[in-house]
Amino acid sequence: MIRYTPGVDLWGEPLATLRRIQDEINRTFNEPQAPAAEYPALNIWRGEDAVLVTAEVPGVRMEDMELTVHQNTLTIKGKRAPVATEPDVSFHRRERTFGSFARTIALPFNVDPDRVQACAENGVLTITLPRPEAERPRKIQISKA
Amino acid sequence: MTDVSGTGKGTAERTAESTRAQPVYIPQADIYETKDALFVSLEMPGANPDAISITLDKRVLAVRGRSVQKRPAGFSPVHAEYREGDYERSFTLSEAIDGDRIEASFKDGILDLKLPKAQPAPAKKIGVKHG
């Protein structure tokens, strides 16, 4: 005997619900997603000869930011300035945070500090960190015996 | 379950689903008022300034935008803490705003709005007739 369950059409698409749940699970696990505990939120991309780090830093001026690279670590330091206001204002909402921040991350390989490039666009900082020439993986030719 | 909360960026709870399987972020806001204007700053990192829409309908100010990530060729993602999504937030304004003089600018991922208050109609004195 089949009990009637509202909302589940047993005869139309018996596996529709299961498939939907499976889709949700796949979506959750397929997209790399680590909740950002620290500021700024970062995305890291890895290429053969370089690492690319992008950071969401809305409202941070480039001159208030400092990047340091040592072997395979990258440190992003900076300061978020409070919104500039005239003296006679009343605040309705103050949700944006300000103050200094610092974050250090380990990169997948050592990088060449002299060739690091950084640029900011629309509040997103993009840092390109190339691998030193000497440490790049090399293809080895196999000689015929 | 599909909602993602990044640093500080909250995600909206929606009753209707959007057509894109992307999070909708609520940009964080600073709002302050001076004698003759209301100022709103919203954090929208990665948003394309040309695609930001700002509307004022009656007293509801709505801001929408979308953050787009460049997918670098030859790179694969190894760690992700934020992703592309839509920015959406609306506010109900308590004061009448002069909709024609609203100024908006976008710099370093911050949308700044200046909403000048509408000039109040000059006070009118009403005489009371003696019955």
Side-chain angles (χ1 to χ4, degrees):
Chain A
M1 203 174 100
I2 298 162
R3 249 174 58 197
Y4 173 68
T5 327
V8 181
D9 183 0
L10 285 168
W11 308 112
E13 254 283 36
L15 296 174
T17 315
L18 268 179
R19 201 169 298 138
R20 192 176 49 81
I21 293 168
Q22 192 184 25
D23 280 351
E24 293 244 310
I25 293 170
N26 286 350
R27 211 186 308 153
T28 312
F29 287 104
N30 283 351
E31 285 163 31
Q33 196 72 46
E38 287 180 86
Y39 185 87
L42 301 174
N43 280 358
I44 305 171
W45 309 71
R46 186 193 170 139
E48 213 161 280
D49 304 324
V51 192
L52 205 84
V53 178
T54 58
E56 283 193 321
V57 284
V60 184
R61 284 173 303 180
M62 274 301 251
E63 55 264 37
D64 289 338
M65 228 155 358
E66 192 189 301
L67 301 175
T68 353
V69 173
H70 178 68
Q71 288 177 357
N72 71 337
T73 60
L74 166 73
T75 303
I76 305 170
K77 270 189 205 165
K79 204 174 75 206
R80 284 188 277 181
V83 57
T85 56
E86 297 139 63
D88 197 21
V89 300
S90 66
F91 265 91
H92 292 213
R93 279 169 197 267
R94 211 162 199 178
E95 297 167 355
R96 294 180 49 211
T97 33
F98 52 87
S100 44
F101 60 87
R103 188 166 179 191
T104 304
I105 52 159
L107 304 167
F109 40 71
N110 287 357
V111 293
D112 186 350
D114 298 325
R115 286 168 48 229
V116 172
Q117 283 181 332
C119 68
E121 195 190 9
N122 295 337
V124 176
L125 177 73
T126 305
I127 313 158
T128 314
L129 306 119
R131 210 166 182 170
E133 291 290 343
E135 288 185 31
R136 282 191 192 173
R138 250 171 248 163
K139 229 182 192 165
I140 315 287
Q141 285 290 331
I142 303 168
S143 52
K144 279 180 195 157
Chain B
M1 191 169 173
T2 49
D3 274 358
V4 188
S5 45
T7 16
K9 289 199 298 191
T11 32
E13 274 182 32
R14 287 160 297 156
T15 43
E17 277 190 81
S18 72
T19 48
R20 286 193 188 84
Q22 285 183 342
V24 176
Y25 295 113
I26 311 169
Q28 287 190 301
D30 275 353
I31 303 179
Y32 63 93
E33 185 185 343
T34 61
K35 211 167 77 238
D36 37 42
L38 191 70
F39 293 84
V40 180
S41 307
L42 293 154
E43 285 191 354
M44 297 166 81
N48 174 4
D50 299 324
I52 293 175
S53 96
I54 305 153
T55 53
L56 180 68
D57 185 16
K58 290 190 183 103
R59 286 197 168 179
V60 178
L61 173 76
V63 177
R64 277 155 192 277
R66 150 120 32 101
S67 83
V68 188
Q69 261 190 73
K70 280 183 202 134
R71 289 171 202 286
F75 287 84
S76 53
V78 287
H79 176 85
E81 291 171 349
Y82 69 90
R83 55 173 169 153
E84 3 184 79
D86 292 328
Y87 289 112
E88 269 183 40
R89 192 154 184 187
S90 48
F91 300 98
T92 309
L93 308 172
S94 54
E95 233 170 318
I97 294 297
D98 187 346
D100 297 329
R101 292 194 296 132
I102 294 177
E103 291 167 36
S105 62
F106 189 74
K107 190 176 177 276
D108 298 339
I110 305 272
L111 178 71
D112 280 307
L113 299 174
K114 184 186 176 184
L115 307 140
K117 292 178 189 173
Q119 291 300 319
K124 225 179 191 177
K125 205 168 181 184
I126 293 133
V128 180
K129 281 182 199 161
H130 291 273

